[in-house]
mmCIF file of all heavy atoms in Angstrom:
data_model
loop_
_atom_site.group_PDB
_atom_site.id
_atom_site.type_symbol
_atom_site.label_atom_id
_atom_site.label_comp_id
_atom_site.label_asym_id
_atom_site.label_seq_id
_atom_site.Cartn_x
_atom_site.Cartn_y
_atom_site.Cartn_z
ATOM 1 N N SER G 1 122.068 77.258 114.141
ATOM 2 C CA SER G 1 120.736 76.729 113.875
ATOM 3 C C SER G 1 119.678 77.798 113.640
ATOM 4 O O SER G 1 118.654 77.516 113.025
ATOM 5 C CB SER G 1 120.286 75.815 115.017
ATOM 6 O OG SER G 1 120.173 76.546 116.220
ATOM 7 N N ARG G 2 119.931 79.047 114.095
ATOM 8 C CA ARG G 2 118.871 80.043 114.009
ATOM 9 C C ARG G 2 119.287 81.413 113.498
ATOM 10 O O ARG G 2 118.472 82.138 112.953
ATOM 11 C CB ARG G 2 118.252 80.269 115.393
ATOM 12 C CG ARG G 2 117.573 79.074 115.932
ATOM 13 C CD ARG G 2 116.878 79.424 117.204
ATOM 14 N NE ARG G 2 116.217 78.251 117.731
ATOM 15 C CZ ARG G 2 115.755 78.164 118.937
ATOM 16 N NH1 ARG G 2 115.865 79.169 119.746
ATOM 17 N NH2 ARG G 2 115.158 77.068 119.332
ATOM 18 N N ASP G 3 120.488 81.798 113.716
ATOM 19 C CA ASP G 3 120.860 83.180 113.463
ATOM 20 C C ASP G 3 121.900 83.307 112.358
ATOM 21 O O ASP G 3 121.734 82.771 111.294
ATOM 22 C CB ASP G 3 121.330 83.853 114.764
ATOM 23 C CG ASP G 3 120.201 83.959 115.779
ATOM 24 O OD1 ASP G 3 119.176 84.559 115.432
ATOM 25 O OD2 ASP G 3 120.342 83.435 116.885
ATOM 26 N N THR G 4 122.984 84.000 112.629
ATOM 27 C CA THR G 4 123.991 84.283 111.620
ATOM 28 C C THR G 4 125.337 83.714 112.039
ATOM 29 O O THR G 4 125.505 83.277 113.178
ATOM 30 C CB THR G 4 124.155 85.810 111.441
ATOM 31 O OG1 THR G 4 124.722 86.349 112.643
ATOM 32 C CG2 THR G 4 122.821 86.489 111.169
ATOM 33 N N ALA G 5 126.283 83.800 111.150
ATOM 34 C CA ALA G 5 127.630 83.318 111.468
ATOM 35 C C ALA G 5 128.234 84.098 112.628
ATOM 36 O O ALA G 5 129.100 83.604 113.336
ATOM 37 C CB ALA G 5 128.523 83.433 110.237
ATOM 38 N N GLU G 6 127.773 85.321 112.839
ATOM 39 C CA GLU G 6 128.281 86.147 113.939
ATOM 40 C C GLU G 6 127.661 85.762 115.272
ATOM 41 O O GLU G 6 128.095 86.214 116.314
ATOM 42 C CB GLU G 6 128.012 87.633 113.668
ATOM 43 C CG GLU G 6 128.796 88.200 112.500
ATOM 44 C CD GLU G 6 128.177 87.824 111.156
ATOM 45 O OE1 GLU G 6 126.937 87.785 111.039
ATOM 46 O OE2 GLU G 6 128.949 87.549 110.227
ATOM 47 N N GLY G 7 126.610 84.976 115.264
ATOM 48 C CA GLY G 7 126.005 84.533 116.513
ATOM 49 C C GLY G 7 124.583 85.003 116.697
ATOM 50 O O GLY G 7 123.910 85.415 115.754
ATOM 51 N N GLU G 8 124.129 84.923 117.922
ATOM 52 C CA GLU G 8 122.773 85.275 118.324
ATOM 53 C C GLU G 8 122.486 86.728 117.996
ATOM 54 O O GLU G 8 123.122 87.630 118.519
ATOM 55 C CB GLU G 8 122.629 85.032 119.829
ATOM 56 C CG GLU G 8 121.413 85.620 120.471
ATOM 57 C CD GLU G 8 120.145 84.848 120.181
ATOM 58 O OE1 GLU G 8 119.957 83.772 120.740
ATOM 59 O OE2 GLU G 8 119.358 85.345 119.371
ATOM 60 N N ARG G 9 121.537 86.956 117.112
ATOM 61 C CA ARG G 9 121.216 88.326 116.708
ATOM 62 C C ARG G 9 119.717 88.521 116.551
ATOM 63 O O ARG G 9 119.264 89.251 115.689
ATOM 64 C CB ARG G 9 121.923 88.687 115.400
ATOM 65 C CG ARG G 9 123.447 88.702 115.504
ATOM 66 C CD ARG G 9 123.927 89.769 116.486
ATOM 67 N NE ARG G 9 125.358 89.756 116.651
ATOM 68 C CZ ARG G 9 126.019 89.033 117.553
ATOM 69 N NH1 ARG G 9 125.379 88.244 118.377
ATOM 70 N NH2 ARG G 9 127.331 89.099 117.646
ATOM 71 N N SER G 10 118.926 87.881 117.389
ATOM 72 C CA SER G 10 117.476 87.966 117.283
ATOM 73 C C SER G 10 116.877 89.153 118.024
ATOM 74 O O SER G 10 115.718 89.492 117.801
ATOM 75 C CB SER G 10 116.844 86.673 117.798
ATOM 76 O OG SER G 10 117.233 86.447 119.144
ATOM 77 N N MET G 11 117.657 89.783 118.891
ATOM 78 C CA MET G 11 117.082 90.809 119.752
ATOM 79 C C MET G 11 116.649 92.057 118.985
ATOM 80 O O MET G 11 115.627 92.661 119.321
ATOM 81 C CB MET G 11 118.056 91.188 120.870
ATOM 82 C CG MET G 11 117.447 92.108 121.924
ATOM 83 S SD MET G 11 115.931 91.454 122.703
ATOM 84 C CE MET G 11 116.587 90.113 123.671
ATOM 85 N N ALA G 12 117.375 92.466 117.968
ATOM 86 C CA ALA G 12 116.999 93.682 117.238
ATOM 87 C C ALA G 12 115.583 93.552 116.668
ATOM 88 O O ALA G 12 114.755 94.460 116.835
ATOM 89 C CB ALA G 12 118.004 93.979 116.132
ATOM 90 N N LYS G 13 115.271 92.442 116.030
ATOM 91 C CA LYS G 13 113.929 92.227 115.486
ATOM 92 C C LYS G 13 112.894 92.140 116.603
ATOM 93 O O LYS G 13 111.777 92.636 116.467
ATOM 94 C CB LYS G 13 113.893 90.952 114.646
ATOM 95 C CG LYS G 13 114.630 91.060 113.336
ATOM 96 C CD LYS G 13 114.554 89.747 112.573
ATOM 97 C CE LYS G 13 115.351 89.815 111.284
ATOM 98 N NZ LYS G 13 115.327 88.528 110.573
ATOM 99 N N THR G 14 113.268 91.506 117.701
ATOM 100 C CA THR G 14 112.356 91.359 118.833
ATOM 101 C C THR G 14 112.006 92.721 119.419
ATOM 102 O O THR G 14 110.837 93.012 119.699
ATOM 103 C CB THR G 14 112.986 90.463 119.914
ATOM 104 O OG1 THR G 14 113.321 89.206 119.325
ATOM 105 C CG2 THR G 14 112.059 90.260 121.094
ATOM 106 N N VAL G 15 113.004 93.575 119.588
ATOM 107 C CA VAL G 15 112.787 94.904 120.160
ATOM 108 C C VAL G 15 111.936 95.761 119.223
ATOM 109 O O VAL G 15 111.038 96.471 119.676
ATOM 110 C CB VAL G 15 114.140 95.578 120.496
ATOM 111 C CG1 VAL G 15 113.991 97.056 120.751
ATOM 112 C CG2 VAL G 15 114.767 94.893 121.705
ATOM 113 N N VAL G 16 112.192 95.687 117.931
ATOM 114 C CA VAL G 16 111.386 96.448 116.973
ATOM 115 C C VAL G 16 109.918 96.034 117.101
ATOM 116 O O VAL G 16 109.019 96.887 117.175
ATOM 117 C CB VAL G 16 111.905 96.260 115.531
ATOM 118 C CG1 VAL G 16 110.901 96.777 114.509
ATOM 119 C CG2 VAL G 16 113.240 96.962 115.349
ATOM 120 N N ALA G 17 109.659 94.740 117.122
ATOM 121 C CA ALA G 17 108.281 94.249 117.234
ATOM 122 C C ALA G 17 107.652 94.674 118.561
ATOM 123 O O ALA G 17 106.507 95.149 118.599
ATOM 124 C CB ALA G 17 108.246 92.728 117.088
ATOM 125 N N PHE G 18 108.383 94.520 119.658
ATOM 126 C CA PHE G 18 107.882 94.903 120.975
ATOM 127 C C PHE G 18 107.522 96.387 121.000
ATOM 128 O O PHE G 18 106.444 96.769 121.461
ATOM 129 C CB PHE G 18 108.939 94.588 122.041
ATOM 130 C CG PHE G 18 108.515 94.955 123.439
ATOM 131 C CD1 PHE G 18 107.815 94.055 124.222
ATOM 132 C CD2 PHE G 18 108.826 96.196 123.973
ATOM 133 C CE1 PHE G 18 107.422 94.390 125.509
ATOM 134 C CE2 PHE G 18 108.437 96.536 125.257
ATOM 135 C CZ PHE G 18 107.731 95.629 126.039
ATOM 136 N N ASN G 19 108.435 97.215 120.498
ATOM 137 C CA ASN G 19 108.198 98.655 120.497
ATOM 138 C C ASN G 19 106.984 99.028 119.654
ATOM 139 O O ASN G 19 106.201 99.912 120.035
ATOM 140 C CB ASN G 19 109.440 99.400 120.024
ATOM 141 C CG ASN G 19 110.569 99.357 121.043
ATOM 142 O OD1 ASN G 19 110.364 99.074 122.215
ATOM 143 N ND2 ASN G 19 111.779 99.605 120.586
ATOM 144 N N LEU G 20 106.799 98.379 118.516
ATOM 145 C CA LEU G 20 105.635 98.649 117.672
ATOM 146 C C LEU G 20 104.337 98.249 118.354
ATOM 147 O O LEU G 20 103.347 98.980 118.319
ATOM 148 C CB LEU G 20 105.762 97.920 116.334
ATOM 149 C CG LEU G 20 106.725 98.520 115.324
ATOM 150 C CD1 LEU G 20 106.909 97.579 114.135
ATOM 151 C CD2 LEU G 20 106.237 99.875 114.843
ATOM 152 N N ILE G 21 104.355 97.096 118.980
ATOM 153 C CA ILE G 21 103.139 96.592 119.625
ATOM 154 C C ILE G 21 102.771 97.408 120.859
ATOM 155 O O ILE G 21 101.607 97.748 121.067
ATOM 156 C CB ILE G 21 103.304 95.104 119.999
ATOM 157 C CG1 ILE G 21 103.395 94.260 118.725
ATOM 158 C CG2 ILE G 21 102.170 94.623 120.890
ATOM 159 C CD1 ILE G 21 103.853 92.832 118.967
ATOM 160 N N TYR G 22 103.770 97.744 121.679
ATOM 161 C CA TYR G 22 103.490 98.353 122.974
ATOM 162 C C TYR G 22 103.823 99.844 123.059
ATOM 163 O O TYR G 22 103.600 100.471 124.096
ATOM 164 C CB TYR G 22 104.228 97.592 124.083
ATOM 165 C CG TYR G 22 103.742 96.175 124.185
ATOM 166 C CD1 TYR G 22 104.512 95.121 123.725
ATOM 167 C CD2 TYR G 22 102.489 95.882 124.715
ATOM 168 C CE1 TYR G 22 104.057 93.805 123.803
ATOM 169 C CE2 TYR G 22 102.026 94.577 124.795
ATOM 170 C CZ TYR G 22 102.815 93.546 124.332
ATOM 171 O OH TYR G 22 102.359 92.262 124.409
ATOM 172 N N GLY G 23 104.348 100.410 121.992
ATOM 173 C CA GLY G 23 104.624 101.844 121.990
ATOM 174 C C GLY G 23 105.769 102.265 122.894
ATOM 175 O O GLY G 23 105.793 103.392 123.374
ATOM 176 N N HIS G 24 106.721 101.392 123.116
ATOM 177 C CA HIS G 24 107.886 101.712 123.948
ATOM 178 C C HIS G 24 109.078 102.074 123.074
ATOM 179 O O HIS G 24 109.019 101.977 121.852
ATOM 180 C CB HIS G 24 108.244 100.526 124.844
ATOM 181 C CG HIS G 24 107.253 100.278 125.927
ATOM 182 N ND1 HIS G 24 107.171 101.030 127.073
ATOM 183 C CD2 HIS G 24 106.267 99.357 126.010
ATOM 184 C CE1 HIS G 24 106.192 100.578 127.833
ATOM 185 N NE2 HIS G 24 105.624 99.563 127.209
ATOM 186 N N ARG G 25 110.160 102.443 123.737
ATOM 187 C CA ARG G 25 111.409 102.740 123.025
ATOM 188 C C ARG G 25 112.549 101.931 123.624
ATOM 189 O O ARG G 25 113.615 102.449 123.915
ATOM 190 C CB ARG G 25 111.692 104.238 123.098
ATOM 191 C CG ARG G 25 110.610 105.046 122.375
ATOM 192 C CD ARG G 25 110.874 106.503 122.425
ATOM 193 N NE ARG G 25 112.072 106.776 121.630
ATOM 194 C CZ ARG G 25 112.595 107.968 121.507
ATOM 195 N NH1 ARG G 25 112.058 108.998 122.089
ATOM 196 N NH2 ARG G 25 113.679 108.138 120.782
ATOM 197 N N LEU G 26 112.314 100.666 123.799
ATOM 198 C CA LEU G 26 113.315 99.752 124.340
ATOM 199 C C LEU G 26 114.467 99.631 123.342
ATOM 200 O O LEU G 26 114.239 99.524 122.147
ATOM 201 C CB LEU G 26 112.656 98.382 124.533
ATOM 202 C CG LEU G 26 113.317 97.350 125.422
ATOM 203 C CD1 LEU G 26 113.238 97.793 126.873
ATOM 204 C CD2 LEU G 26 112.597 96.009 125.264
ATOM 205 N N SER G 27 115.693 99.663 123.848
ATOM 206 C CA SER G 27 116.862 99.476 122.980
ATOM 207 C C SER G 27 117.230 97.994 122.930
ATOM 208 O O SER G 27 116.751 97.188 123.735
ATOM 209 C CB SER G 27 118.055 100.278 123.508
ATOM 210 O OG SER G 27 118.568 99.675 124.687
ATOM 211 N N VAL G 28 118.082 97.641 121.998
ATOM 212 C CA VAL G 28 118.562 96.259 121.908
ATOM 213 C C VAL G 28 119.294 95.880 123.192
ATOM 214 O O VAL G 28 119.089 94.785 123.736
ATOM 215 C CB VAL G 28 119.454 96.070 120.665
ATOM 216 C CG1 VAL G 28 120.121 94.709 120.662
ATOM 217 C CG2 VAL G 28 118.633 96.266 119.389
ATOM 218 N N THR G 29 120.118 96.772 123.703
ATOM 219 C CA THR G 29 120.826 96.494 124.962
ATOM 220 C C THR G 29 119.839 96.238 126.089
ATOM 221 O O THR G 29 119.991 95.289 126.862
ATOM 222 C CB THR G 29 121.761 97.663 125.327
ATOM 223 O OG1 THR G 29 122.716 97.830 124.282
ATOM 224 C CG2 THR G 29 122.485 97.408 126.641
ATOM 225 N N GLU G 30 118.807 97.065 126.175
ATOM 226 C CA GLU G 30 117.789 96.860 127.217
ATOM 227 C C GLU G 30 117.052 95.542 127.026
ATOM 228 O O GLU G 30 116.663 94.892 128.008
ATOM 229 C CB GLU G 30 116.809 98.026 127.224
ATOM 230 C CG GLU G 30 117.419 99.311 127.716
ATOM 231 C CD GLU G 30 116.566 100.532 127.459
ATOM 232 O OE1 GLU G 30 115.754 100.531 126.505
ATOM 233 O OE2 GLU G 30 116.713 101.506 128.222
ATOM 234 N N GLY G 31 116.881 95.111 125.787
ATOM 235 C CA GLY G 31 116.272 93.805 125.535
ATOM 236 C C GLY G 31 117.104 92.678 126.120
ATOM 237 O O GLY G 31 116.584 91.774 126.781
ATOM 238 N N TRP G 32 118.418 92.729 125.873
ATOM 239 C CA TRP G 32 119.308 91.702 126.453
ATOM 240 C C TRP G 32 119.312 91.795 127.974
ATOM 241 O O TRP G 32 119.323 90.767 128.667
ATOM 242 C CB TRP G 32 120.727 91.843 125.918
ATOM 243 C CG TRP G 32 120.879 91.507 124.470
ATOM 244 C CD1 TRP G 32 121.395 92.313 123.487
ATOM 245 C CD2 TRP G 32 120.534 90.280 123.810
ATOM 246 N NE1 TRP G 32 121.384 91.659 122.281
ATOM 247 C CE2 TRP G 32 120.854 90.402 122.445
ATOM 248 C CE3 TRP G 32 119.979 89.076 124.253
ATOM 249 C CZ2 TRP G 32 120.649 89.392 121.517
ATOM 250 C CZ3 TRP G 32 119.764 88.061 123.326
ATOM 251 C CH2 TRP G 32 120.101 88.227 121.985
ATOM 252 N N GLN G 33 119.306 93.015 128.520
ATOM 253 C CA GLN G 33 119.279 93.179 129.977
ATOM 254 C C GLN G 33 117.985 92.628 130.569
ATOM 255 O O GLN G 33 117.984 92.040 131.652
ATOM 256 C CB GLN G 33 119.483 94.648 130.339
ATOM 257 C CG GLN G 33 120.885 95.123 130.038
ATOM 258 C CD GLN G 33 121.041 96.628 130.141
ATOM 259 O OE1 GLN G 33 120.092 97.390 129.950
ATOM 260 N NE2 GLN G 33 122.257 97.067 130.427
ATOM 261 N N PHE G 34 116.887 92.826 129.854
ATOM 262 C CA PHE G 34 115.611 92.265 130.284
ATOM 263 C C PHE G 34 115.698 90.745 130.387
ATOM 264 O O PHE G 34 115.261 90.151 131.374
ATOM 265 C CB PHE G 34 114.506 92.674 129.299
ATOM 266 C CG PHE G 34 113.154 92.115 129.641
ATOM 267 C CD1 PHE G 34 112.281 92.839 130.440
ATOM 268 C CD2 PHE G 34 112.757 90.870 129.175
ATOM 269 C CE1 PHE G 34 111.031 92.323 130.765
ATOM 270 C CE2 PHE G 34 111.519 90.349 129.498
ATOM 271 C CZ PHE G 34 110.648 91.079 130.291
ATOM 272 N N MET G 35 116.268 90.124 129.368
ATOM 273 C CA MET G 35 116.397 88.664 129.382
ATOM 274 C C MET G 35 117.302 88.196 130.522
ATOM 275 O O MET G 35 117.045 87.167 131.157
ATOM 276 C CB MET G 35 116.928 88.165 128.039
ATOM 277 C CG MET G 35 115.968 88.390 126.882
ATOM 278 S SD MET G 35 114.341 87.630 127.135
ATOM 279 C CE MET G 35 114.786 85.895 127.115
ATOM 280 N N SER G 36 118.361 88.964 130.801
ATOM 281 C CA SER G 36 119.247 88.637 131.916
ATOM 282 C C SER G 36 118.485 88.706 133.237
ATOM 283 O O SER G 36 118.626 87.831 134.098
ATOM 284 C CB SER G 36 120.447 89.593 131.931
ATOM 285 O OG SER G 36 121.290 89.321 133.019
ATOM 286 N N LEU G 37 117.654 89.733 133.381
ATOM 287 C CA LEU G 37 116.847 89.849 134.599
ATOM 288 C C LEU G 37 115.855 88.699 134.726
ATOM 289 O O LEU G 37 115.632 88.179 135.827
ATOM 290 C CB LEU G 37 116.103 91.184 134.626
ATOM 291 C CG LEU G 37 116.963 92.396 134.927
ATOM 292 C CD1 LEU G 37 116.160 93.685 134.704
ATOM 293 C CD2 LEU G 37 117.482 92.344 136.352
ATOM 294 N N LEU G 38 115.265 88.295 133.612
ATOM 295 C CA LEU G 38 114.349 87.161 133.632
ATOM 296 C C LEU G 38 115.054 85.919 134.171
ATOM 297 O O LEU G 38 114.523 85.195 135.020
ATOM 298 C CB LEU G 38 113.819 86.888 132.221
ATOM 299 C CG LEU G 38 112.959 85.642 132.064
ATOM 300 C CD1 LEU G 38 111.615 85.819 132.755
ATOM 301 C CD2 LEU G 38 112.771 85.319 130.596
ATOM 302 N N LYS G 39 116.271 85.681 133.695
ATOM 303 C CA LYS G 39 117.028 84.516 134.155
ATOM 304 C C LYS G 39 117.403 84.645 135.632
ATOM 305 O O LYS G 39 117.435 83.647 136.364
ATOM 306 C CB LYS G 39 118.275 84.302 133.290
ATOM 307 C CG LYS G 39 117.946 83.796 131.903
ATOM 308 C CD LYS G 39 117.222 82.449 131.994
ATOM 309 C CE LYS G 39 116.966 81.847 130.646
ATOM 310 N NZ LYS G 39 116.544 80.439 130.744
ATOM 311 N N LYS G 40 117.706 85.863 136.082
ATOM 312 C CA LYS G 40 118.022 86.065 137.499
ATOM 313 C C LYS G 40 116.804 85.767 138.372
ATOM 314 O O LYS G 40 116.912 85.124 139.419
ATOM 315 C CB LYS G 40 118.510 87.494 137.729
ATOM 316 C CG LYS G 40 119.922 87.742 137.242
ATOM 317 C CD LYS G 40 120.268 89.223 137.370
ATOM 318 C CE LYS G 40 121.695 89.531 137.052
ATOM 319 N NZ LYS G 40 122.202 89.068 135.762
ATOM 320 N N VAL G 41 115.631 86.235 137.942
ATOM 321 C CA VAL G 41 114.413 85.969 138.705
ATOM 322 C C VAL G 41 114.117 84.478 138.726
ATOM 323 O O VAL G 41 113.808 83.912 139.778
ATOM 324 C CB VAL G 41 113.220 86.775 138.131
ATOM 325 C CG1 VAL G 41 111.911 86.324 138.748
ATOM 326 C CG2 VAL G 41 113.430 88.264 138.364
ATOM 327 N N ARG G 42 114.209 83.838 137.577
ATOM 328 C CA ARG G 42 113.981 82.398 137.536
ATOM 329 C C ARG G 42 114.957 81.655 138.432
ATOM 330 O O ARG G 42 114.578 80.698 139.113
ATOM 331 C CB ARG G 42 114.079 81.873 136.111
ATOM 332 C CG ARG G 42 112.885 82.245 135.275
ATOM 333 C CD ARG G 42 112.991 81.656 133.900
ATOM 334 N NE ARG G 42 111.804 81.935 133.124
ATOM 335 C CZ ARG G 42 111.704 81.714 131.836
ATOM 336 N NH1 ARG G 42 112.719 81.189 131.160
ATOM 337 N NH2 ARG G 42 110.599 82.004 131.183
ATOM 338 N N GLY G 43 116.215 82.108 138.443
ATOM 339 C CA GLY G 43 117.222 81.464 139.278
ATOM 340 C C GLY G 43 116.969 81.637 140.763
ATOM 341 O O GLY G 43 117.469 80.861 141.577
ATOM 342 N N SER G 44 116.190 82.633 141.117
ATOM 343 C CA SER G 44 115.902 82.880 142.539
ATOM 344 C C SER G 44 114.675 82.117 143.026
ATOM 345 O O SER G 44 114.351 82.162 144.211
ATOM 346 C CB SER G 44 115.706 84.379 142.783
ATOM 347 O OG SER G 44 114.466 84.819 142.240
ATOM 348 N N GLN G 45 114.008 81.428 142.109
ATOM 349 C CA GLN G 45 112.764 80.721 142.465
ATOM 350 C C GLN G 45 112.930 79.221 142.254
ATOM 351 O O GLN G 45 113.446 78.788 141.230
ATOM 352 C CB GLN G 45 111.614 81.217 141.587
ATOM 353 C CG GLN G 45 111.336 82.685 141.737
ATOM 354 C CD GLN G 45 110.268 83.169 140.766
ATOM 355 O OE1 GLN G 45 109.491 82.408 140.240
ATOM 356 N NE2 GLN G 45 110.254 84.465 140.539
ATOM 357 N N GLY G 46 112.481 78.463 143.187
ATOM 358 C CA GLY G 46 112.487 77.012 143.030
ATOM 359 C C GLY G 46 113.866 76.406 143.082
ATOM 360 O O GLY G 46 114.807 76.969 143.646
ATOM 361 N N GLN G 47 113.964 75.243 142.450
ATOM 362 C CA GLN G 47 115.211 74.495 142.479
ATOM 363 C C GLN G 47 116.223 75.064 141.486
ATOM 364 O O GLN G 47 115.864 75.715 140.510
ATOM 365 C CB GLN G 47 114.941 73.032 142.144
ATOM 366 C CG GLN G 47 114.100 72.328 143.178
ATOM 367 C CD GLN G 47 113.879 70.868 142.817
ATOM 368 O OE1 GLN G 47 114.170 70.427 141.721
ATOM 369 N NE2 GLN G 47 113.349 70.117 143.765
#
């Protein structure tokens, strides 16, 4: 519905935009790790 035949591939564009806006050097791997941490934090809160 959103990406390519190979699967979810939105992180590269997301990281490029983030780095341009905020002046960081986040890698694609770090972007996925960030999202994993977000889910871990959400999983630790509430129901």
Side-chain angles (χ1 to χ4, degrees):
S1 63
R2 296 186 180 166
D3 295 303
T4 67
E6 293 79 37
E8 167 76 74
R9 296 297 177 270
S10 58
M11 188 56 70
K13 289 179 183 178
T14 303
V15 165
V16 167
F18 180 88
N19 289 342
L20 284 171
I21 293 168
Y22 297 106
H24 290 283
R25 296 180 67 182
L26 197 69
S27 72
V28 172
T29 300
E30 291 168 334
W32 292 124
Q33 291 169 333
F34 179 91
M35 294 303 294
S36 178
L37 286 171
L38 174 70
K39 288 300 184 168
K40 285 174 174 54
V41 170
R42 286 183 176 170
S44 72
Q45 299 175 20
Q47 294 181 349

